[in-house]
Each structure stands twice: as structure tokens, then as C-alpha cells.
Amino acid sequence: QVQLVESGGGLVQAGGSLRLSCAASGRTLSRYAMGWFRQAPGKEREFVAAITWIGGSTHYGDSVKGRFTISRDNAKSTLHLQMNSLKPEDTAVYYCAACVDTIVVVTTTRSCRSGYWGQGTTVTVSS
């Protein structure tokens, strides 16, 4: 069992920055590929970024490359998503996920087919 709690969402103007955090707890976290996904109103869930606990291999969705950075703090079992140069189209509920699939599968399928999800944190970017 894995528990995930996101924080850091809020309202920001276009061009601004936010840093999301995901506190993870549970056994054998290292076996999971960790990811951030987002879902805007009326749209399907979208892959944002993924990282491994061991080695820190990172992968990004095309729409956020060069603007977002995913990182992890192994000592605190915490995942972060630094979001810079935010755009109104980044407005969404952002979810942290611990995925059973390998990071290769997560990034190839752009999905977390099996695993655990946080409750989400809302990011609103005003124009």
C-alpha cells in the first residue's frame, strides 16, 4: 500500500512559477516509477513527467519540456514538480502517481495503468 499526498497548487499569472510536492509513504517505494499527470476540465488525463527513485531517470511530456522539472528527495520520500513559464493551458488538476509499470512503459504509454494516485492539487494559470 502506498499513500500519496500532493500540495503546492494555487493561482498564478501566466509566466509565473509554482512548485508542487508529493509526500509518499508505504513499503518498497523504490519499486515504483513515480509520475505527475494532469487533467483539465473536459479533457483526458495527460502525462506530465516521470522519474525513478533509484537513479533519478526523468522523462517529460512534450507540452512541458523545457519548462517543468521533476525531482525527488529520497531521504524524505517526496516528489517535486517545479513549473516555470506557466501558461493558461497548464491549468488542471495535477496528480501524483506511483506506477507499477517500469518508467519505460509509463513514458511509452503516457499512462499509469496500475498503481496508486494522490487526491490531486489544482493549478490555475490566469492570462
Side-chain angles (χ1 to χ4, degrees):
Q1 190 77 7
V2 174
Q3 292 80 41
L4 304 170
V5 179
E6 301 98 333
S7 61
L11 173 64
V12 64
Q13 288 188 331
S17 299
L18 277 177
R19 188 189 194 212
L20 305 184
S21 296
C22 173
S25 61
R27 295 184 176 181
T28 61
L29 288 174
S30 60
R31 65 175 290 190
Y32 298 97
M34 301 300 297
W36 285 98
F37 295 79
R38 67 187 182 185
Q39 188 164 19
K43 295 188 176 181
E44 293 186 353
R45 189 168 291 181
E46 178 188 9
F47 169 74
V48 176
I51 191 169
T52 55
W53 286 113
I54 299 174
S57 174
T58 59
H59 302 265
Y60 296 91
D62 291 339
S63 61
V64 306
K65 278 181 183 177
R67 300 188 298 122
F68 291 11
T69 301
I70 188 172
S71 62
R72 87 276 189 246
D73 183 335
N74 287 28
K76 296 181 179 179
S77 297
T78 301
L79 193 68
H80 299 289
L81 184 69
Q82 177 66 43
M83 305 185 296
N84 298 329
S85 301
L86 283 161
K87 305 174 181 180
E89 50 264 44
D90 293 318
T91 295
V93 179
Y94 284 72
Y95 298 92
C96 174
C99 307
V100 174
D101 285 328
T102 65
I103 194 167
V104 172
V105 174
V106 170
T107 54
T108 299
T109 63
R110 296 292 196 258
S111 66
C112 185
R113 301 181 300 179
S114 177
Y116 301 90
W117 293 85
Q119 82 288 350
T121 186
T122 300
V123 172
T124 303
V125 184
S126 63
S127 57

